[in-house]
Amino acid sequence: MLTPRQKVPALTVETLSSGTFDLTASTAEFATLVVFYRGLHCPICATYLKELGRLLPQLKERGVEAIAISSDTEDRAQQMAEKVGHEDLRFGYDLPLNVAKDWGLYISTGRGKTSIGIEEPELFSEPGVFLIKSDGSLYFASVQTMPFVRPHFQEMLGALDFVKKNDYPARGEYTGAV
């Protein structure tokens, strides 16, 4: 389990349009928003990433850079990027599933074609949203076992304003006995 205020695991993936993404080389002023999505087969992911793409300028105003990452192949990631339609949204692909597990993501087995007629991969990671401070420490995490009920990026904007204004610390950092 990842712990807020502690360094996150290494994360390096190829992207569709900006070479290799390496989280340790992020130049985000405040934080990097890492959005792990299920893959091309997931219609909820496409809708979710469209919201993220629409809000990229507002995130950037708050010093937050974003990337969407899946274990999909480059071809499937390209199809998702075209479906989402926001050229400024970076898409990472070929996320190794052992790295997904290091990040605490759940792994699912493919069950054939989805409601939109696209075959699920044999194995893929379920969604997760992570806000990583510029020092490489975890600030916020939300991990799902299903494609449903994810954090809303619009709400995140207001939370970021509060966090920055009040220098609000990452919470959930306690790891001692209870």
Side-chain angles (χ1 to χ4, degrees):
M1 181 165 78
L2 302 184
T3 304
R5 302 185 197 174
Q6 301 300 312
K7 297 282 185 192
V8 295
L11 181 60
T12 304
V13 293
E14 292 303 313
T15 69
L16 295 176
S17 60
S18 55
T20 302
F21 170 82
D22 181 347
L23 183 60
T24 62
S26 175
T27 58
E29 175 192 326
F30 180 71
T32 302
L33 182 62
V34 178
V35 179
F36 294 104
Y37 70 98
R38 300 172 83 226
L40 176 65
H41 64 277
C42 177
I44 295 170
C45 293
T47 301
Y48 194 59
L49 295 177
K50 285 178 185 180
E51 179 191 13
L52 175 60
R54 182 178 60 78
L55 296 174
L56 282 176
Q58 293 172 58
L59 287 165
K60 192 169 193 78
E61 287 172 5
R62 289 160 173 85
V64 176
E65 301 289 332
I67 185 167
I69 300 173
S70 76
S71 58
D72 269 349
T73 63
E74 181 179 9
D75 179 59
R76 285 172 66 104
Q78 183 64 50
Q79 289 179 61
M80 180 61 99
E82 290 168 7
K83 188 182 288 193
V84 169
H86 288 278
E87 291 180 15
D88 291 345
L89 179 56
R90 289 182 292 178
F91 278 84
Y93 59 89
D94 282 339
L95 174 70
L97 293 178
N98 64 315
V99 173
K101 288 188 86 162
D102 289 345
W103 279 76
L105 300 178
Y106 293 91
I107 307 299
S108 289
T109 56
R111 299 181 51 88
K113 289 188 177 182
T114 63
S115 62
I116 57 173
I118 297 175
E119 190 78 22
E120 291 182 342
E122 184 178 326
L123 294 172
F124 59 93
S125 63
E126 291 296 338
V129 178
F130 298 82
L131 191 64
I132 311 305
K133 296 281 296 256
S134 56
D135 66 1
S137 66
L138 177 64
Y139 186 79
F140 165 88
S142 176
V143 176
Q144 307 303 121
T145 62
M146 298 283 245
F148 318 109
V149 193
R150 304 181 202 189
H152 294 279
F153 298 117
Q154 184 67 50
E155 292 176 15
M156 194 177 292
L157 295 174
L160 285 166
D161 291 340
F162 178 86
V163 161
K164 291 179 81 177
K165 178 182 176 191
N166 296 289
D167 195 25
Y168 195 80
R171 303 311 312 257
E173 77 287 355
Y174 181 77
T175 59
V178 291

